[in-house]
Amino acid sequence: MLNTEQACDRVHDIVGRARRAGADAADAVLIADRSLAVSVRMGALEDVERSESEEVGLRVFAGTRSASVSTSDLSPAALDALVERVLAMAREAPEDPWAGLAPQAMLLNGALPQLDLDDGAEAEPQAMRDRALEAEDAARAVAGVTNSEGGGASATRSVTALATSHGFTGGYSVSSHMISASVLAGTGGEMERDSAWHSARYASMLEAPGEIGRSAGERAVSRLNPGRVASGAMPVVFDKRVSSGLIGHFVGAITGGSIARKTSFLQEYLGKQVFAKGIAIHEDPLRLRGLRSRPFDGEGLAVGPRRLVEDGVLTTWLMESASARQLGMDPTGHASRGIGGAPGASPGNLWMSAGEASVAELIGDIERGVLVTELIGQGVNGVTGDYSRGAAGFLIEKGEIAGPVSEITIAGNLIDMFLAAIPASDLEFRYGINAPTLRIDGMTIAGD
């Protein structure tokens, strides 16, 4: 696999080829990765997968026309042919007055931030097999667990490099490690499934495999013999396993592309109250070893910490250059891109500030409600904010967690839900987007 310096040389060379061939401007991104995944089931090795790839994406501009292509053939002859092909495509593409590279004055200059994202470790199949077995064994050891969908361990290292024709070249490497377990409890038609997993940049930061397995087993057993809930309006408490999904819907609604196309339910909310007073949503793409950390964005702009929501007020859109131009604003350093196509926008490490009440205090005055631990389906309308999803979890009665429930639907509108959200104090930095347990009163439950 290429190292960071080699990857930077490659993209710089490809952009130079495009310019010499007649492109008015160009940028190129290269992603090289190597991964190993091991899965086990019922105490035996089930599968070992190893992959390695190097791909480059090239975008060229002919005036306000542009086109993109990608390839895994990095030989000089293939790159020359690629450049000719994409230039021919660009000259036939429709004009786009908003397309173009990021403003040159906003490019990241100087040394890249050092974020410690790569542990440099070579994945060892035997060690990963042992982790997966330990996780599954711990899950199967939980009383009531009757079957297994398996345990797994994976490790990936990747290098990303970006070059633009107006002066930016940079690259960085990351590693990622994961352990998971998924098991079933009960028998016959009464079986229930659940899982647990943990991902981290460094293998040394992973939760112990036995803890992951025990969590998976205990979760599956706790779901046995679910009841139903009578339909009606009641408080819904989103466990922190699923509460980050609500923040994900918020992020989707404030990306520049959605705003520029006028397809967001938050279209008119910049500078207005979207969450309750006191709530903040933080972003920090420069967090050391963060799962969404990066030293620059997908267009070569500097990134840094900011608050997307301050005291409940929406402070910014997330914009790459094209949507920023369309909106008459500056890009915000949130461009993200893969190998193909133009950049989109996405945040770095994101979290909602914790509240003051514990989870027990948060639910203590709920006469009847639902604690949601699993969400099913994708019933969210990004234009209107209407929200309707299948769910499972636990009944809340008289301020206490009661028995499991399943086959229910929860519904509301995200604008109302955001304003009503009350966070607990149990924030944990475990994912790329994190939120504490959230209580939202007045949601509609469809059950019996």
Side-chain angles (χ1 to χ4, degrees):
M1 188 175 77
L2 299 175
N3 61 34
T4 302
E5 183 178 349
Q6 292 169 330
C8 287
D9 289 342
R10 289 288 182 94
V11 288
H12 183 77
D13 171 68
I14 294 165
V15 167
R17 290 171 186 265
R19 289 286 281 145
R20 290 191 295 272
D24 294 323
D27 63 5
V29 61
L30 185 149
I31 299 176
D33 61 47
R34 180 170 60 214
S35 65
L36 176 68
V38 175
S39 60
V40 301
R41 183 176 179 276
M42 303 301 288
L45 180 66
E46 188 168 62
D47 195 19
V48 178
E49 296 183 5
R50 187 188 294 272
S51 65
E52 188 165 346
S53 67
E54 293 176 359
E55 291 186 276
V56 65
L58 173 65
R59 183 173 58 146
V60 302
F61 296 88
T64 59
R65 306 172 190 268
S66 67
S68 301
V69 291
S70 62
T71 184
S72 58
D73 186 346
L74 304 185
S75 66
L79 293 177
D80 285 337
L82 185 78
V83 167
E84 293 299 326
R85 185 163 63 250
V86 72
L87 271 171
M89 292 167 57
R91 289 166 181 149
E92 298 300 322
E95 293 189 358
D96 181 355
W98 317 117
L101 301 179
Q104 186 172 9
M106 296 182 67
L107 293 175
L108 174 63
N109 291 311
L112 300 183
Q114 298 302 302
L115 305 179
D116 200 17
L117 301 178
D118 184 2
D119 66 2
E122 292 296 327
E124 296 292 340
Q126 183 62 49
M128 294 175 63
R129 173 180 175 273
D130 292 345
R131 290 177 193 165
L133 285 171
E134 184 179 349
E136 192 203 28
D137 287 348
R140 293 173 60 207
V142 174
V145 170
T146 54
N147 205 342
S148 172
E149 292 187 331
S154 64
T156 301
R157 293 189 68 223
S158 65
V159 171
T160 298
L162 171 71
T164 73
S165 60
H166 64 344
F168 178 84
T169 301
Y172 58 97
S173 62
V174 302
S175 56
S176 180
H177 302 265
M178 187 175 74
I179 302 172
S180 64
S182 177
V183 292
L184 297 97
T187 58
E190 305 300 320
M191 298 180 76
E192 295 289 339
R193 169 198 171 277
D194 216 321
S195 61
W197 61 276
H198 189 220
S199 178
R201 287 291 178 217
Y202 273 50
S204 60
M205 297 171 63
L206 285 170
E207 192 173 281
E211 291 299 318
I212 294 169
R214 274 189 291 276
S215 292
E218 290 168 357
R219 288 171 178 175
V221 171
S222 72
R223 298 179 61 165
L224 287 172
N225 304 312
R228 302 293 296 274
V229 179
S231 299
M234 64 187 71
V236 172
V237 179
F238 291 81
D239 184 83
K240 61 185 177 182
R241 290 175 63 187
V242 296
S243 60
S244 60
L246 294 177
I247 311 305
H249 298 316
F250 165 74
V251 168
I254 65 169
T255 56
S258 296
I259 302 303
R261 291 190 298 269
K262 300 186 184 301
T263 57
S264 168
F265 65 91
L266 293 179
Q267 181 76 38
E268 306 298 330
Y269 280 81
L270 186 62
K272 297 180 181 179
Q273 203 82 33
V274 290
F275 288 90
K277 287 185 177 296
I279 288 182
I281 296 181
H282 309 257
E283 181 203 12
D284 185 4
L286 300 179
R287 176 187 287 272
L288 295 179
R289 301 186 183 181
L291 292 175
R292 283 176 170 253
S293 295
R294 54 185 179 179
F296 53 85
D297 83 343
E299 295 180 309
L301 301 189
V303 298
R306 67 171 69 209
R307 291 192 179 188
L308 308 185
V309 172
E310 178 70 59
D311 199 23
V313 174
L314 175 61
T315 64
T316 185
W317 305 130
L318 309 183
M319 295 176 290
E320 83 296 346
S321 294
S323 63
R325 290 189 188 98
Q326 192 168 351
L327 294 167
M329 306 172 78
D330 289 330
T332 57
H334 289 99
S336 63
R337 64 180 297 182
I339 291 299
S346 66
N349 305 292
L350 206 65
W351 69 97
M352 174 186 277
S353 55
E356 297 181 356
S358 67
V359 174
E361 292 169 333
L362 195 71
I363 69 174
D365 65 346
I366 295 177
E367 189 67 21
R368 188 172 180 81
V370 174
L371 171 66
V372 172
T373 59
E374 181 182 29
L375 290 165
I376 304 163
Q378 301 296 324
V380 180
N381 187 321
V383 178
T384 65
D386 289 337
Y387 181 97
S388 178
R389 298 188 67 182
F394 298 87
L395 185 66
I396 301 172
E397 289 188 308
K398 300 186 184 303
E400 299 288 342
I401 303 296
V405 294
S406 64
E407 297 182 12
I408 62 174
T409 299
I410 58 174
N413 184 276
L414 286 168
I415 294 175
D416 300 326
M417 291 165 63
F418 291 162
L419 286 169
I422 304 171
S425 59
D426 62 339
L427 177 66
E428 182 181 15
F429 291 93
R430 189 177 181 87
Y431 313 112
I433 298 178
N434 297 282
T437 297
L438 295 175
R439 170 177 169 173
I440 300 176
D441 290 350
M443 294 196 69
T444 300
I445 300 292
D448 286 337

